[in-house]
Amino acid sequence: MISRLWAKIGKPSPQTAESPQPDRVPQHVAIIMDGNGRWAKKRGLPRIAGHHTGMKAVKRAVKEADRLGVKYLTLYAFSTENWKRPKDEVDFLMKLPQQFLALELDELIEKNVQVRMMGSKEDLPSYTIDALEEAIARTADNTGLVLNFALNYGSRKEMLDAVKEIAEDAKAGRLSPEDIDEQLMNARLLTGGIPDPDLLIRTSGELRLSNFMLWQLAYSELWFTDVYWPEFNEAHFQEAVMQYQRRKRRYGGL
């Protein structure tokens, strides 16, 4: 069941009398933040204007996730495929973590948010890595919402790296084929120690996973909206959570 809500509206969704049930909020929400470029093009602006405005949507999503009681929020910030984009756009995207954290880190600390990153630091500029490492270090002891940025991340690479690591351990005699199970695979992925997403949100009307958490999303509930990411607001987040709460998760059973 896929909800295509607020399609072709391009405006915040109307508030309703209904609100998410506090005792059934998804523990882990993952978001594919899509549509920045199209949002900008629609307004005659350069693509980077959409990325810049999208930072405001990140802040709204983090605050709403925290308010609702979500424990983990994973944001797909930059994929391994995004390197194919024009250099000026990539350069701008690499500066966004630094800009966002410079503005928001103090508040994230105040709100007890813990910042994490999953993805490869290889090829990332030093200023991007420095900003993330500072945020990770300064929030390491926080016990509230875990804000997990998927940066320079690709799920196929993640799984291949995990399989290679397991194969090396088997070759060295550190484990046997009988030891290889889902629990071991989970531990070797970049999300080791984090529960699989209960809910995946994707904006902009695209209906695909785009190499994002392919293993972890096996039984996640999916919610798609035509709203572009810069327009995504608290009401949209609430509607996604309410759709999740209306569904019955069977995990392959009856």
Side-chain angles (χ1 to χ4, degrees):
M1 175 180 171
I2 296 175
S3 179
R4 299 288 304 276
L5 299 178
W6 325 122
K8 301 179 182 178
I9 296 177
K11 300 176 183 177
S13 59
Q15 296 286 351
T16 66
E18 187 179 2
S19 60
Q21 302 172 33
D23 60 336
R24 297 188 59 226
V25 170
Q27 183 179 23
H28 185 177
V29 176
I31 304 180
I32 300 175
M33 306 178 293
D34 196 17
N36 289 339
R38 278 167 286 170
W39 177 89
K41 182 179 179 180
K42 189 175 178 181
R43 288 157 177 77
L45 301 170
R47 288 176 59 85
I48 59 174
H51 297 310
H52 187 269
T53 304
M55 286 200 305
K56 297 177 183 178
V58 170
K59 181 174 182 177
R60 290 194 295 267
V62 173
K63 292 181 73 172
E64 187 62 15
D66 184 49
R67 189 188 72 82
L68 290 173
V70 173
K71 291 183 170 56
Y72 300 89
L73 179 65
T74 297
L75 302 178
Y76 203 8
F78 190 89
S79 76
T80 49
E81 290 76 29
N82 287 156
W83 293 107
K84 300 173 185 176
R85 295 185 177 187
K87 185 178 183 304
D88 60 342
E89 183 177 353
V90 170
D91 289 345
F92 186 85
L93 287 168
M94 287 295 104
K95 294 173 183 175
L96 285 182
Q98 183 184 44
Q99 294 176 16
F100 176 79
L101 292 168
L103 292 171
E104 307 298 341
L105 183 54
D106 287 343
E107 185 173 350
L108 292 174
I109 293 171
E110 181 184 339
K111 295 292 186 181
N112 199 29
V113 173
Q114 182 184 121
V115 177
R116 297 188 190 179
M117 173 201 159
M118 69 176 192
S120 174
K121 292 181 180 178
E122 185 179 353
D123 297 325
L124 292 179
S126 58
Y127 52 81
T128 305
I129 296 172
D130 290 345
L132 285 163
E133 288 184 344
E134 179 188 358
I136 291 168
R138 291 182 61 189
T139 63
D141 295 329
N142 289 354
T143 57
L145 172 71
V146 172
L147 174 57
N148 185 34
F149 289 104
L151 188 66
N152 197 20
Y153 170 85
S155 185
R156 288 184 174 182
K157 182 180 186 306
E158 174 191 31
M159 288 190 285
L160 283 172
D161 288 346
V163 170
K164 289 176 183 178
E165 185 180 296
I166 291 170
E168 287 294 333
D169 283 349
K171 181 179 179 181
R174 290 188 289 268
L175 56 82
S176 65
E178 292 74 21
D179 297 323
I180 302 172
D181 56 15
E182 287 191 18
Q183 185 176 359
L184 178 64
M185 185 68 173
N186 283 332
R188 300 299 177 97
L189 294 174
L190 297 175
T191 50
I194 297 178
D196 292 342
D198 301 293
L199 172 65
L200 170 74
I201 296 169
R202 179 165 187 158
T203 58
S204 87
E206 302 295 345
L207 306 178
R208 55 179 177 269
L209 297 181
S210 297
N211 198 20
F212 183 53
M213 301 180 79
L214 301 178
W215 174 279
Q216 299 91 332
L217 291 171
Y219 281 101
S220 303
E221 295 295 323
L222 311 181
W223 188 84
F224 299 95
T225 175
D226 287 346
V227 170
Y228 295 135
W229 178 247
E231 299 169 327
F232 188 83
N233 62 25
E234 295 86 350
H236 300 126
F237 201 121
Q238 291 172 30
E239 181 59 32
V241 170
M242 287 188 290
Q243 284 289 326
Y244 165 84
Q245 292 180 344
R246 293 181 189 122
R247 302 178 189 178
K248 183 176 180 180
R249 304 183 73 190
R250 297 182 177 86
Y251 299 96
L254 296 176

